[in-house]
Amino acid sequence: MKELAVRCLYSALVVVSWLATSARAESWCDAAPLPVLAALTQVDSGEDWFKIYVVADGVFAITEPRQAEGVNSFLIVGSRRAILFDSGLGVGRIGKVVSKLTPLPVTVLNSHTHFDHVGGNAEFADVRNLNIPYSLASSRGQVDPALAEYARPTLAEDRVCGPLPTEVTSREYKIPTWRISRYIEDNERIDLGSRTLEVLRTPGHTPDSMTLLDRARGLLFTGDTYYSNQIYLWAPGTDLGAYRASIDRLVALRPGLKALLPAHGAPTADPEQLVELQTALREIVAGSAPSTPAPQNRRVFRFEHFSILMAQPPETARAPK
Ligand SMILES: [Zn+2]
């Protein structure tokens, strides 16, 4: 889940200029493509809704750039199996796209179970989540009212550029539901053949947030735990103390990392930004980070590569340090 417009823009500078001219009706649909995308090889998805980029050997970013969330799902292919890490909004048919990219059996894992990462889960038979109440409730479509309200206008005209896929006949967005086929656990290793992924629980953004590590290649799939844009720490279920501990866990991996692969906006980011985030959180909790008020009693903290939108007051009481 992410902010409507800000996360679809392409750098702090662009965000600033957009905010200055946000009265214009064309808004984010006309923004220039992310500079990082120009360096990536694009693969034809055959589906107008998705754009696909090769972000590493055997790794495809399946993006949905025409909806304001700017969500990225990742297909990670081994020699015997593949993982789909998140399944997007559920607006286009991601299963069709995936079957064009690989003939191998596909297992879906979710970076967390906010609606914009689980929308295509129901298209797959093998979907694995944590066995915790938050994930189980999400799979049944039982979502906190504040999140349901946030999701409701997902297909509104000001959140979608251009036409919806032909099979989508209503702008009423339905919260996804799906069947969990198996449970996964922290530190579980998944052998895809020629590639092993490690599941790392990194709660904070939600109780069920996790990151995927391809240790041999130095790739860390960060979900909404980190991306180079406005990070959401305001929603029901967010826990700042748990989030800080999770970022500490990821920073410890920094020496072996070559790239972060986040779930919104630019599909690749420099691992050094995790260190910047760790420092930023320390400053926020210490009260030394400047912030500005945001609607709905929230505050925005701005840093070089990202900003953080937080409930006011933040849940610092439970922060471990
Ligand atoms: Zn989210």
Side-chain angles (χ1 to χ4, degrees):
M1 187 189 67
K2 59 173 280 297
E3 181 169 296
L4 167 60
V6 175
R7 291 194 220 180
C8 292
L9 299 174
Y10 303 121
S11 69
L13 286 174
V14 175
V15 169
V16 168
S17 68
W18 179 83
L19 287 172
T21 58
S22 58
R24 287 185 304 153
E26 59 269 34
S27 73
W28 59 276
C29 289
D30 301 316
L34 285 161
V36 68
L37 297 177
L40 300 173
T41 302
Q42 200 174 327
V43 178
D44 182 14
S45 70
E47 299 283 319
D48 183 51
W49 183 254
F50 299 97
K51 280 206 185 319
I52 301 174
Y53 300 89
V54 180
V55 288
D57 185 30
V59 182
F60 301 93
I62 304 174
T63 73
E64 299 178 55
R66 294 205 286 106
Q67 202 279 342
E69 299 289 340
V71 72
N72 305 321
S73 306
F74 291 92
L75 181 67
I76 309 156
V77 182
S79 60
R80 294 195 312 271
R81 298 170 56 191
I83 292 285
L84 181 63
F85 193 49
D86 287 344
S87 61
L89 289 160
V91 174
R93 295 282 73 86
I94 197 169
K96 229 164 121 181
V97 171
V98 166
S99 65
K100 281 185 186 161
L101 294 172
T102 181
L104 297 173
V106 175
T107 297
V108 175
L109 303 178
N110 298 117
S111 64
H112 62 301
T113 57
H114 277 158
F115 69 96
D116 49 331
H117 304 270
V118 299
N121 279 9
E123 295 181 50
F124 296 85
D126 187 3
V127 182
R128 304 181 190 182
N129 297 105
L130 296 166
N131 186 11
I132 65 171
Y134 189 92
S135 302
L136 303 183
S138 296
S139 73
R140 294 190 287 261
Q142 294 165 356
V143 172
D144 184 280
L147 291 175
E149 181 60 22
Y150 177 92
R152 194 183 47 76
T154 291
L155 299 181
E157 290 192 13
D158 65 346
R159 295 201 180 189
V160 176
C161 300
L164 291 166
T166 47
E167 67 269 24
V168 181
T169 54
S170 167
R171 286 194 180 265
E172 186 185 334
Y173 184 75
K174 290 196 172 53
I175 293 289
T177 60
W178 69 97
R179 192 185 150 274
I180 299 172
S181 58
R182 230 178 93 175
Y183 297 120
I184 50 159
E185 293 180 354
D186 193 19
N187 295 316
E188 187 169 325
R189 297 164 72 89
I190 303 172
D191 181 7
L192 302 182
S194 317
R195 186 191 290 271
T196 299
L197 297 174
E198 297 171 46
V199 172
L200 307 178
R201 280 199 68 181
T202 46
H205 174 72
T206 62
D208 63 356
S209 293
M210 63 174 172
T211 53
L212 266 191
L213 174 64
D214 183 337
R215 198 180 289 269
R217 293 169 181 80
L219 304 176
L220 185 67
F221 299 84
T222 53
D224 280 8
T225 297
Y226 181 74
Y227 44 77
S228 315
N229 218 312
Q230 185 162 91
I231 297 167
Y232 270 10
L233 295 180
W234 61 263
T238 292
D239 180 330
L240 181 59
Y243 184 72
R244 290 187 72 200
S246 293
I247 299 306
D248 289 347
R249 184 179 191 189
L250 298 183
V251 167
L253 301 170
R254 168 68 191 91
L257 295 180
K258 293 192 172 67
L260 308 179
L261 297 106
H264 291 284
T268 61
D270 183 346
E272 200 56 33
Q273 291 172 22
L274 289 174
V275 181
E276 185 185 346
L277 176 56
Q278 185 183 46
T279 304
L281 293 168
R282 191 180 304 131
E283 290 172 1
I284 289 171
V285 172
S288 60
S291 66
T292 52
Q296 297 178 278
N297 202 27
R298 297 171 192 156
R299 296 197 78 78
V300 180
F301 298 82
R302 291 190 170 81
F303 302 92
E304 184 181 354
H305 292 99
F306 53 85
S307 63
I308 297 176
L309 182 65
M310 208 172 259
Q312 178 65 28
E315 297 177 45
T316 51
R318 281 181 287 162
K321 53 189 162 180

